[in-house]
Amino acid sequence: AEIAQLIRDWGFNCVRFVFSLALVLEDPPLPVLFPHLSVGANPDMLNMTALEVFDACVEALTNASLLVILNNHVSSPGWCCSLDDEIGRA
Protein backbone atom coordinates (compact mmCIF):
# COMPACT_ATOMS: atom_id res chain seq x y z
CA ALA A 1 0.00 0.00 0.00
CA GLU A 2 2.89 2.36 0.73
CA ILE A 3 4.36 1.96 -2.75
CA ALA A 4 0.95 2.42 -4.38
CA GLN A 5 0.42 5.65 -2.45
CA LEU A 6 3.91 6.82 -3.36
CA ILE A 7 3.10 6.29 -7.05
CA ARG A 8 -0.05 8.38 -6.56
CA ASP A 9 1.88 11.07 -4.64
CA TRP A 10 4.33 11.35 -7.55
CA GLY A 11 1.39 12.41 -9.72
CA PHE A 12 0.78 9.23 -11.66
CA ASN A 13 -2.81 8.12 -12.23
CA CYS A 14 -2.29 4.65 -13.70
CA VAL A 15 -0.02 1.63 -13.59
CA ARG A 16 0.62 -0.88 -16.36
CA PHE A 17 0.67 -4.20 -14.54
CA VAL A 18 2.12 -7.05 -16.58
CA PHE A 19 1.41 -10.74 -16.12
CA SER A 20 1.92 -14.05 -17.89
CA LEU A 21 -0.73 -16.55 -18.89
CA ALA A 22 1.04 -19.06 -16.63
CA LEU A 23 0.23 -16.87 -13.63
CA VAL A 24 -3.49 -17.22 -14.31
CA LEU A 25 -3.60 -20.78 -15.63
CA GLU A 26 -1.14 -22.40 -13.20
CA ASP A 27 -1.27 -20.05 -10.17
CA PRO A 28 2.05 -21.34 -8.84
CA PRO A 29 3.13 -20.94 -5.23
CA LEU A 30 5.70 -18.23 -4.71
CA PRO A 31 9.26 -19.56 -4.72
CA VAL A 32 10.57 -18.12 -1.47
CA LEU A 33 14.23 -18.97 -0.93
CA PHE A 34 15.03 -15.94 1.21
CA PRO A 35 11.78 -14.75 2.86
CA HIS A 36 13.44 -11.79 4.60
CA LEU A 37 14.41 -10.44 1.16
CA SER A 38 11.55 -11.44 -1.11
CA VAL A 39 8.54 -10.74 1.14
CA GLY A 40 10.21 -9.01 4.07
CA ALA A 41 8.10 -5.87 3.64
CA ASN A 42 4.92 -7.94 3.23
CA PRO A 43 5.24 -11.05 5.43
CA ASP A 44 1.49 -11.69 5.09
CA MET A 45 2.22 -12.70 1.47
CA LEU A 46 4.59 -15.50 2.48
CA ASN A 47 2.11 -18.35 1.96
CA MET A 48 0.17 -16.83 -0.92
CA THR A 49 0.07 -18.10 -4.48
CA ALA A 50 1.28 -15.89 -7.30
CA LEU A 51 -2.29 -14.98 -8.26
CA GLU A 52 -3.15 -14.03 -4.67
CA VAL A 53 -0.15 -11.69 -4.58
CA PHE A 54 -1.17 -10.27 -7.96
CA ASP A 55 -4.70 -9.62 -6.62
CA ALA A 56 -3.33 -7.97 -3.47
CA CYS A 57 -1.16 -5.66 -5.57
CA VAL A 58 -4.07 -4.69 -7.82
CA GLU A 59 -6.19 -4.02 -4.73
CA ALA A 60 -3.48 -1.80 -3.20
CA LEU A 61 -3.17 0.16 -6.44
CA THR A 62 -6.92 0.68 -6.86
CA ASN A 63 -7.27 1.61 -3.18
CA ALA A 64 -4.78 4.40 -3.91
CA SER A 65 -7.13 5.58 -6.71
CA LEU A 66 -4.81 4.38 -9.45
CA LEU A 67 -6.11 2.94 -12.70
CA VAL A 68 -4.60 -0.50 -13.31
CA ILE A 69 -3.99 -1.52 -16.91
CA LEU A 70 -3.64 -5.30 -16.97
CA ASN A 71 -1.18 -6.32 -19.65
CA ASN A 72 -0.89 -9.98 -20.70
CA HIS A 73 2.71 -9.44 -21.71
CA VAL A 74 3.99 -13.01 -22.13
CA SER A 75 2.66 -16.55 -22.12
CA SER A 76 5.39 -18.03 -19.94
CA PRO A 77 6.94 -16.32 -16.92
CA GLY A 78 10.33 -14.73 -17.44
CA TRP A 79 11.93 -11.85 -19.27
CA CYS A 80 10.43 -11.03 -22.64
CA CYS A 81 11.70 -10.10 -26.01
CA SER A 82 14.71 -12.33 -26.57
CA LEU A 83 15.46 -14.72 -29.39
CA ASP A 84 14.39 -17.57 -27.11
CA ASP A 85 10.78 -16.52 -26.54
CA GLU A 86 7.76 -16.17 -28.82
CA ILE A 87 7.87 -12.38 -28.58
CA GLY A 88 11.42 -11.67 -29.76
CA ARG A 89 11.30 -13.79 -32.87
CA ALA A 90 11.19 -11.97 -36.17
Side-chain angles (χ1 to χ4, degrees):
E2 290 178 31
I3 293 174
Q5 189 56 53
L6 187 60
I7 293 168
R8 185 71 181 158
D9 292 345
W10 285 339
F12 293 96
N13 63 2
C14 68
V15 173
R16 177 177 160 237
F17 208 58
V18 299
F19 66 96
S20 68
L21 285 178
L23 174 92
V24 176
L25 299 175
E26 299 168 16
D27 194 18
L30 292 179
V32 182
L33 300 176
F34 305 103
H36 64 287
L37 296 175
S38 57
V39 293
N42 300 289
D44 54 314
M45 293 183 173
L46 183 58
N47 295 312
M48 290 183 169
T49 65
L51 194 54
E52 289 171 329
V53 170
F54 186 88
D55 289 342
C57 292
V58 170
E59 182 177 7
L61 292 165
T62 57
N63 285 346
S65 298
L66 291 162
L67 172 70
V68 178
I69 300 169
L70 299 178
N71 177 242
N72 178 12
H73 200 63
V74 292
S75 297
S76 301
W79 297 105
C80 89
C81 309
S82 70
L83 296 177
D84 297 328
D85 64 26
E86 68 273 10
I87 297 170
R89 293 187 185 135

